[in-house]
Amino acid sequence: MDFPEKNFFKRASGKISFGIFFFLFYTFLFYHSAWLSDDSFITFRVVDNFLNGFGLRWNPLERVQVYTHPLWLFLLIPLQAAVREISISAYLLSFVCGISFLSVWILTFVRSSNAVRWIVFSLLILFSSKIFIDYNSSGLENPLSFLLFLLFFVQLNLIQEDPDHPNSNLRILTIGFLTSLILLTRLDLVLLLIYPLSILFFKTFQGSKIRFLQYFSIGMLLWVLYLGFSLVYFGSFFPNTFYAKTNVISDPIDRMIAGWNYIRISLKWDPIGIFILTSHLFWFFLGTFGKRILKLEWSPSDSKKQALQIGIGSIVPVFVYLFWIGGDFMAGRFIGVCLVISLFSQMRFWIFFSEVNLVQTRYVWRIFFGIVCVYFLISPSSPIRYAFQRQPVRVEKGIVDERASYQDNVSLKSWIQGNGPESHPWSQYAIGIVLEKHSRSVLSHIQNSQSLPIVSEVRVTTNVGLAGYYGGAFIHWIDLLGITDPFLARLPGKGFPGHYIRLLPKGYKEFLEETASVLPSPEMDRFYYEIRMLTEGEIGSRERWKIILDFLIFGKGNFKTRFETGFRYAYVIDEYRKTLYGIPFENWKKEDVEAALIREYFGN
């Protein structure tokens, strides 16, 4: 005879074992897949400088917000202060976010009847996704984004199911707070929030909009406070990358072709992503039109159909945005959250589907589960392959398989095997510069993050992450892509998405080296002076705040709006020719290269 207590403990122990299995399986995948991108070391240098007393700066002399993920940065700082090894700090934070994500995912659905099979199915899909697994590490904010959006949509569903719940005001405040955290994680994630927040405001709380705005605004205060801090400290609401990637010269048609290639190649390299998105469209069609067109005898509730609708409404703006701006160079990075939202929306529908007691339910699950199992085990794109073989480095149309590019010496597995990020050629380049000028004892200070003297060398580069971190505070880097350079970010850039190179103004490097006191062009010298006031001037000075207002309101901080059409400045052509962009001009005469660059950058 089975007693209720016995059955309860059997069910509980089974669910606990189920959860432990997936946590261990995720840990196995994380060990074999974890890596750090070059871009992540841009943030790591800010963390290092902050802990060494230089403030939230990349080049120690300049207040520049080079990071795009404030919340990720602020979580890394105390962790690095305790661990004192940036690679482990980043891996640990990513792993904690990943385990937290799995915990919330399982706990959200496990109480539903017949949910376990769909939880197994959904987690297998995620573990089969190259995009999801690759960007559950990377040193960037993606794992935190996955977790926060999962929490956001869990809270959103609670509100929609019972908008008049006694704790409704607290739930609205929580939604506002999670929105604040998401925007602090990465500002352009707002695209994923537009549709669900519009549904809450215009539909769910149609009769109590003022109450919704009141509590939602309270939850948003943290983000508002950070915007205020950013304006005061950095002189801008936006990170420096915003200016580096918007002050560019690009043909709209070429840009949209690049955007299409980014989406196409990202999903081609991760076919399970195509499965997730097409499945979403299929279930949305079935739930919306199945009873009317296919004459099915069942129909999901409005809340289940709305879950699919909100999922689609959330991710469509992201794909439109990626298509319009030309995408990026890191395959899949900006699609990962879309896959999480899509799968979460479908989970609610699948569980409803299994509760309808249709004969087809079990067969549908078996077919889909079998397909995903086969894919996970034998597909060349499956992350399980990371455990058994080195992945080929792929580059197509300027889109890069970033994890594969860094797997040999900037991965968790290589670090454990004694081959750390400092062995990467870009790191060695920076370390070599330091050794030219200083002793090996000083280099050990850099690697042990001890207090350092500031800047004794100025160098020009386009690879600022690893080189910037391992060069320490000795080197002031001029970033021709403008990502970390406040002056070059506001000059016109040209190239492919994520890598828009600038022409180095004559006299700029000499000014930083203190071998020149002005730039040759009076107009450019004044422009650079105002940039210096933003980044180096006294925070509360009247002149600095006048410049801030001129930049914000009158567009004086933008090259295109500041100068008349046809204005051009003298530049150092040799620095351009040293980069990858200079390779096509390798056999050209100098005057021909100059003429070509003038046409491309200044239009005359």
Side-chain angles (χ1 to χ4, degrees), residues 110-139:
V110 77
R111 294 182 181 180
S112 303
S113 60
N114 299 317
V116 172
R117 68 177 60 180
W118 291 108
I119 293 174
V120 173
F121 178 53
S122 64
L123 291 181
L124 184 60
I125 288 176
L126 289 175
F127 291 170
S128 300
S129 171
K130 175 178 171 60
I131 292 173
F132 179 78
I133 293 298
D134 282 7
Y135 287 99
N136 248 303
S137 54
S138 81

Tab-separated table of all heavy atoms in Angstrom, residues 110-139:
chain	number	residue	atom	x	y	z
A	110	VAL	N	7.841	23.335	-13.339
A	110	VAL	CA	7.801	21.980	-12.794
A	110	VAL	C	6.490	21.650	-12.085
A	110	VAL	O	6.120	20.480	-11.952
A	110	VAL	CB	9.004	21.752	-11.850
A	110	VAL	CG1	8.769	22.436	-10.496
A	110	VAL	CG2	9.274	20.257	-11.670
A	111	ARG	N	5.759	22.642	-11.644
A	111	ARG	CA	4.520	22.381	-10.907
A	111	ARG	C	3.347	22.051	-11.825
A	111	ARG	O	2.314	21.568	-11.372
A	111	ARG	CB	4.156	23.587	-10.035
A	111	ARG	CG	5.158	23.840	-8.908
A	111	ARG	CD	4.738	25.012	-8.043
A	111	ARG	NE	5.713	25.252	-6.980
A	111	ARG	CZ	5.604	26.225	-6.071
A	111	ARG	NH1	4.567	27.047	-6.121
A	111	ARG	NH2	6.519	26.373	-5.145
A	112	SER	N	3.495	22.353	-13.099
A	112	SER	CA	2.411	22.057	-14.037
A	112	SER	C	2.340	20.555	-14.286
A	112	SER	O	3.350	19.854	-14.270
A	112	SER	CB	2.631	22.784	-15.363
A	112	SER	OG	2.753	24.169	-15.155
A	113	SER	N	1.140	20.074	-14.523
A	113	SER	CA	0.972	18.649	-14.811
A	113	SER	C	1.594	18.316	-16.164
A	113	SER	O	1.512	19.091	-17.110
A	113	SER	CB	-0.516	18.288	-14.811
A	113	SER	OG	-1.218	19.024	-15.800
A	114	ASN	N	2.228	17.156	-16.235
A	114	ASN	CA	2.876	16.679	-17.460
A	114	ASN	C	3.969	17.628	-17.969
A	114	ASN	O	4.291	17.623	-19.156
A	114	ASN	CB	1.853	16.457	-18.579
A	114	ASN	CG	0.811	15.421	-18.208
A	114	ASN	OD1	1.153	14.378	-17.651
A	114	ASN	ND2	-0.454	15.711	-18.494
A	115	ALA	N	4.497	18.467	-17.041
A	115	ALA	CA	5.464	19.477	-17.489
A	115	ALA	C	6.874	18.929	-17.622
A	115	ALA	O	7.677	19.468	-18.382
A	115	ALA	CB	5.470	20.667	-16.518
A	116	VAL	N	7.199	17.850	-16.895
A	116	VAL	CA	8.583	17.380	-16.852
A	116	VAL	C	9.097	17.043	-18.244
A	116	VAL	O	10.222	17.398	-18.619
A	116	VAL	CB	8.704	16.160	-15.921
A	116	VAL	CG1	10.101	15.545	-16.031
A	116	VAL	CG2	8.446	16.575	-14.477
A	117	ARG	N	8.275	16.357	-19.048
A	117	ARG	CA	8.727	15.979	-20.388
A	117	ARG	C	9.038	17.211	-21.230
A	117	ARG	O	9.979	17.213	-22.027
A	117	ARG	CB	7.692	15.100	-21.074
A	117	ARG	CG	6.392	15.795	-21.418
A	117	ARG	CD	5.436	14.884	-22.160
A	117	ARG	NE	5.094	13.696	-21.357
A	117	ARG	CZ	4.275	12.751	-21.774
A	117	ARG	NH1	3.733	12.826	-22.965
A	117	ARG	NH2	4.003	11.737	-20.999
A	118	TRP	N	8.223	18.269	-21.063
A	118	TRP	CA	8.467	19.482	-21.848
A	118	TRP	C	9.663	20.261	-21.310
A	118	TRP	O	10.373	20.934	-22.071
A	118	TRP	CB	7.219	20.347	-21.865
A	118	TRP	CG	6.107	19.725	-22.646
A	118	TRP	CD1	4.969	19.170	-22.161
A	118	TRP	CD2	6.061	19.546	-24.064
A	118	TRP	NE1	4.192	18.669	-23.182
A	118	TRP	CE2	4.843	18.891	-24.368
A	118	TRP	CE3	6.900	19.866	-25.117
A	118	TRP	CZ2	4.458	18.547	-25.657
A	118	TRP	CZ3	6.529	19.534	-26.408
A	118	TRP	CH2	5.322	18.885	-26.670
A	119	ILE	N	9.902	20.184	-19.987
A	119	ILE	CA	11.106	20.816	-19.426
A	119	ILE	C	12.353	20.136	-19.977
A	119	ILE	O	13.318	20.793	-20.393
A	119	ILE	CB	11.087	20.751	-17.879
A	119	ILE	CG1	9.960	21.616	-17.322
A	119	ILE	CG2	12.431	21.209	-17.312
A	119	ILE	CD1	9.788	21.505	-15.825
A	120	VAL	N	12.336	18.797	-19.990
A	120	VAL	CA	13.462	18.046	-20.559
A	120	VAL	C	13.682	18.443	-22.019
A	120	VAL	O	14.814	18.705	-22.454
A	120	VAL	CB	13.208	16.530	-20.449
A	120	VAL	CG1	14.288	15.754	-21.202
A	120	VAL	CG2	13.156	16.098	-18.991
A	121	PHE	N	12.598	18.509	-22.761
A	121	PHE	CA	12.668	18.867	-24.175
A	121	PHE	C	13.236	20.267	-24.370
A	121	PHE	O	14.140	20.490	-25.184
A	121	PHE	CB	11.267	18.750	-24.778
A	121	PHE	CG	11.185	19.130	-26.229
A	121	PHE	CD1	12.026	18.554	-27.163
A	121	PHE	CD2	10.258	20.070	-26.658
A	121	PHE	CE1	11.949	18.898	-28.507
A	121	PHE	CE2	10.175	20.425	-27.995
A	121	PHE	CZ	11.022	19.841	-28.922
A	122	SER	N	12.734	21.234	-23.599
A	122	SER	CA	13.176	22.623	-23.759
A	122	SER	C	14.638	22.806	-23.368
A	122	SER	O	15.385	23.525	-24.038
A	122	SER	CB	12.291	23.567	-22.937
A	122	SER	OG	12.408	23.304	-21.552
A	123	LEU	N	15.072	22.139	-22.283
A	123	LEU	CA	16.473	22.263	-21.879
A	123	LEU	C	17.400	21.596	-22.882
A	123	LEU	O	18.502	22.092	-23.143
A	123	LEU	CB	16.666	21.662	-20.490
A	123	LEU	CG	16.011	22.427	-19.337
A	123	LEU	CD1	16.288	21.744	-18.006
A	123	LEU	CD2	16.486	23.877	-19.288
A	124	LEU	N	16.950	20.486	-23.465
A	124	LEU	CA	17.754	19.847	-24.498
A	124	LEU	C	17.902	20.760	-25.707
A	124	LEU	O	18.967	20.822	-26.334
A	124	LEU	CB	17.130	18.517	-24.908
A	124	LEU	CG	17.922	17.689	-25.922
A	124	LEU	CD1	19.296	17.335	-25.380
A	124	LEU	CD2	17.154	16.426	-26.306
A	125	ILE	N	16.836	21.495	-26.034
A	125	ILE	CA	16.914	22.466	-27.132
A	125	ILE	C	17.956	23.532	-26.811
A	125	ILE	O	18.802	23.874	-27.647
A	125	ILE	CB	15.537	23.105	-27.382
A	125	ILE	CG1	14.584	22.108	-28.029
A	125	ILE	CG2	15.674	24.332	-28.283
A	125	ILE	CD1	13.182	22.639	-28.218
A	126	LEU	N	17.898	24.078	-25.598
A	126	LEU	CA	18.860	25.111	-25.218
A	126	LEU	C	20.287	24.571	-25.230
A	126	LEU	O	21.210	25.239	-25.703
A	126	LEU	CB	18.513	25.656	-23.827
A	126	LEU	CG	17.255	26.524	-23.731
A	126	LEU	CD1	16.959	26.889	-22.284
A	126	LEU	CD2	17.400	27.799	-24.564
A	127	PHE	N	20.470	23.363	-24.723
A	127	PHE	CA	21.806	22.778	-24.695
A	127	PHE	C	22.300	22.424	-26.101
A	127	PHE	O	23.498	22.233	-26.308
A	127	PHE	CB	21.814	21.526	-23.823
A	127	PHE	CG	21.636	21.802	-22.351
A	127	PHE	CD1	21.421	20.769	-21.456
A	127	PHE	CD2	21.672	23.097	-21.858
A	127	PHE	CE1	21.258	21.015	-20.101
A	127	PHE	CE2	21.505	23.360	-20.503
A	127	PHE	CZ	21.296	22.306	-19.623
A	128	SER	N	21.376	22.323	-27.045
A	128	SER	CA	21.746	22.038	-28.435
A	128	SER	C	22.060	23.302	-29.221
A	128	SER	O	22.574	23.225	-30.342
A	128	SER	CB	20.611	21.291	-29.148
A	128	SER	OG	20.325	20.061	-28.521
A	129	SER	N	21.736	24.450	-28.646
A	129	SER	CA	21.909	25.720	-29.348
A	129	SER	C	23.332	26.243	-29.186
A	129	SER	O	23.766	26.548	-28.067
A	129	SER	CB	20.912	26.760	-28.837
A	129	SER	OG	21.211	28.041	-29.354
A	130	LYS	N	24.030	26.358	-30.275
A	130	LYS	CA	25.383	26.918	-30.249
A	130	LYS	C	25.365	28.352	-29.718
A	130	LYS	O	26.230	28.746	-28.935
A	130	LYS	CB	25.983	26.877	-31.651
A	130	LYS	CG	27.343	27.549	-31.793
A	130	LYS	CD	27.887	27.410	-33.201
A	130	LYS	CE	29.125	28.265	-33.381
A	130	LYS	NZ	30.204	27.893	-32.450
A	131	ILE	N	24.376	29.125	-30.146
A	131	ILE	CA	24.273	30.516	-29.703
A	131	ILE	C	24.102	30.580	-28.190
A	131	ILE	O	24.804	31.338	-27.494
A	131	ILE	CB	23.112	31.233	-30.407
A	131	ILE	CG1	23.415	31.408	-31.897
A	131	ILE	CG2	22.837	32.596	-29.764
A	131	ILE	CD1	22.259	31.956	-32.705
A	132	PHE	N	23.175	29.801	-27.647
A	132	PHE	CA	22.898	29.842	-26.202
A	132	PHE	C	24.113	29.391	-25.404
A	132	PHE	O	24.508	30.058	-24.434
A	132	PHE	CB	21.694	28.952	-25.880
A	132	PHE	CG	21.361	28.914	-24.411
A	132	PHE	CD1	20.678	29.961	-23.815
A	132	PHE	CD2	21.756	27.835	-23.631
A	132	PHE	CE1	20.384	29.932	-22.455
A	132	PHE	CE2	21.463	27.793	-22.274
A	132	PHE	CZ	20.772	28.851	-21.680
A	133	ILE	N	24.730	28.275	-25.780
A	133	ILE	CA	25.870	27.759	-25.028
A	133	ILE	C	27.094	28.656	-25.194
A	133	ILE	O	27.789	28.970	-24.214
A	133	ILE	CB	26.190	26.318	-25.454
A	133	ILE	CG1	25.051	25.377	-25.041
A	133	ILE	CG2	27.503	25.853	-24.842
A	133	ILE	CD1	24.807	25.286	-23.550
A	134	ASP	N	27.377	29.095	-26.414
A	134	ASP	CA	28.542	29.962	-26.633
A	134	ASP	C	28.462	31.234	-25.807
A	134	ASP	O	29.462	31.690	-25.236
A	134	ASP	CB	28.662	30.335	-28.112
A	134	ASP	CG	29.247	29.218	-28.957
A	134	ASP	OD1	29.427	28.108	-28.417
A	134	ASP	OD2	29.506	29.447	-30.155
A	135	TYR	N	27.276	31.828	-25.744
A	135	TYR	CA	27.151	33.115	-25.063
A	135	TYR	C	26.620	32.990	-23.643
A	135	TYR	O	26.191	33.969	-23.054
A	135	TYR	CB	26.324	34.082	-25.920
A	135	TYR	CG	27.139	34.541	-27.093
A	135	TYR	CD1	26.987	33.956	-28.343
A	135	TYR	CD2	28.140	35.489	-26.929
A	135	TYR	CE1	27.789	34.333	-29.405
A	135	TYR	CE2	28.941	35.875	-27.982
A	135	TYR	CZ	28.761	35.299	-29.222
A	135	TYR	OH	29.574	35.675	-30.267
A	136	ASN	N	26.706	31.761	-23.091
A	136	ASN	CA	26.545	31.622	-21.655
A	136	ASN	C	27.868	31.868	-20.956
A	136	ASN	O	27.960	31.769	-19.740
A	136	ASN	CB	25.990	30.232	-21.299
A	136	ASN	CG	24.580	30.320	-20.746
A	136	ASN	OD1	24.342	30.998	-19.760
A	136	ASN	ND2	23.645	29.662	-21.395
A	137	SER	N	28.893	32.148	-21.727
A	137	SER	CA	30.162	32.620	-21.175
A	137	SER	C	30.580	33.827	-22.012
A	137	SER	O	29.822	34.777	-22.124
A	137	SER	CB	31.204	31.501	-21.147
A	137	SER	OG	31.354	30.909	-22.415
A	138	SER	N	31.748	33.813	-22.587
A	138	SER	CA	32.288	34.883	-23.447
A	138	SER	C	32.799	36.094	-22.677
A	138	SER	O	33.433	36.967	-23.252
A	138	SER	CB	31.270	35.351	-24.502
A	138	SER	OG	30.328	36.266	-23.958
A	139	GLY	N	32.515	36.173	-21.363
A	139	GLY	CA	32.942	37.335	-20.588
A	139	GLY	C	32.064	38.545	-20.773
A	139	GLY	O	32.272	39.573	-20.123
